[in-house]
Amino acid sequence: MNRLILKYATPVTIAILAIFAWVTYRRIAAGGLSSIILLAVTAVTVWVIGTCVFIYFWPRITAGGFKRTFVRRGLGGGPIPVNTLYAVPESPSQSALAGSVIATGTDSVLYCGGWLDVSAGPQVLHVPEMEQRYYSVQFTDPTSGANFAYVGKRTTGTAARDFLLCEPVWDGETPAGMTRIDVPHKAALMIGRVFVANEDDRRRAYELAKLIQLKPAHRP
């Protein structure tokens, strides 16, 4: 969706300005100064209000687009249920669907993704021993678009670990050996990346990416 904005923002803006210029010209031709002033005031008001509405709702629209894509289409292996992570076996350039949804223009990582929802109870994110390999899992707040937490080599290391994902108000006890991560608004977009050194390394990277998984906290 962001790519569509980057691609079509300029022509859409030009079209809007052209329409506004035409309306202004018609008002001037009609000789109505008061109408021109009213038009200018209306345009500024709409611009300010529209900008505020856009800033407020755009993160929700973008995150909602990701959720619909994951749950309805998936990333090449069919729909991805909520609280499930799917690892893409191909690089972004090899996977047209995954590449168009979550890729960032590099083939040096494999992606995994899913939608987290802890409203029914905490989830556990399991990360395997990553063998000193770079990897990351980002948690994006769907209401603000901000990344509120990262799990990965640079933040939590590469040893096998489990992370308890829950609402901030959850008052249960964090199991021994787990690290708690609060999910501010009950849900989050999760995108993971696992480094691939070369083509010979791709299979091993994919095996590790598949082991980054979610499960309910009560399940052994």
Side-chain angles (χ1 to χ4, degrees):
M1 194 174 294
N2 289 326
R3 288 184 174 88
L4 293 177
I5 290 181
L6 293 175
K7 184 176 181 180
Y8 297 110
T10 299
V12 169
T13 301
I14 292 175
I16 293 174
L17 291 176
I19 293 173
F20 182 73
W22 179 80
V23 172
T24 302
Y25 169 77
R26 295 285 296 179
R27 292 291 186 180
I28 294 175
L33 181 59
S34 59
S35 297
I36 297 174
I37 295 175
L38 178 61
L39 180 64
V41 172
T42 302
V44 171
T45 302
V46 170
W47 184 276
V48 171
I49 294 176
T51 300
C52 294
V53 169
F54 179 85
I55 292 173
Y56 180 80
F57 283 105
W58 182 244
R60 293 164 171 78
I61 295 172
T62 302
F66 274 109
K67 181 181 180 180
R68 286 189 296 273
T69 297
F70 287 169
V71 174
R72 296 178 183 177
R73 293 192 301 164
L75 297 173
I80 305 172
V82 173
N83 292 331
T84 303
L85 292 179
Y86 173 79
V88 182
E90 302 92 0
S91 62
S93 64
Q94 295 170 327
S95 176
L97 178 56
S100 65
V101 176
I102 59 177
T104 54
T106 177
D107 279 347
S108 61
V109 295
L110 292 181
Y111 287 90
C112 61
W115 188 264
L116 172 70
D117 188 336
V118 297
S119 59
Q123 293 281 318
V124 173
L125 171 67
H126 172 73
V127 176
E129 166 60 54
M130 297 301 288
E131 306 166 355
Q132 297 301 312
R133 179 188 301 267
Y134 171 83
Y135 83 99
S136 68
V137 180
Q138 73 181 48
F139 297 79
T140 303
D141 187 342
T143 64
S144 67
N147 298 330
F148 62 87
Y150 278 94
V151 167
K153 181 177 182 180
R154 295 175 180 171
T155 54
T156 58
T158 60
R161 295 185 64 175
D162 291 319
F163 300 86
L164 183 71
L165 314 176
C166 58
E167 296 183 64
V169 296
W170 187 74
D171 59 359
E173 183 177 350
T174 302
M178 287 192 189
T179 300
R180 173 170 170 162
I181 297 177
D182 288 339
V183 182
H185 295 100
K186 301 182 181 182
L189 167 66
M190 296 180 63
I191 296 179
R193 300 169 177 84
V194 177
F195 176 70
V196 180
N198 49 51
E199 283 300 319
D200 295 334
D201 183 50
R202 190 170 300 280
R203 180 176 179 180
R204 181 55 181 162
Y206 177 55
E207 291 174 351
L208 292 173
K210 289 192 296 181
L211 295 176
I212 303 174
Q213 288 295 326
L214 287 168
K215 66 177 182 179
H218 61 271
R219 182 184 301 172

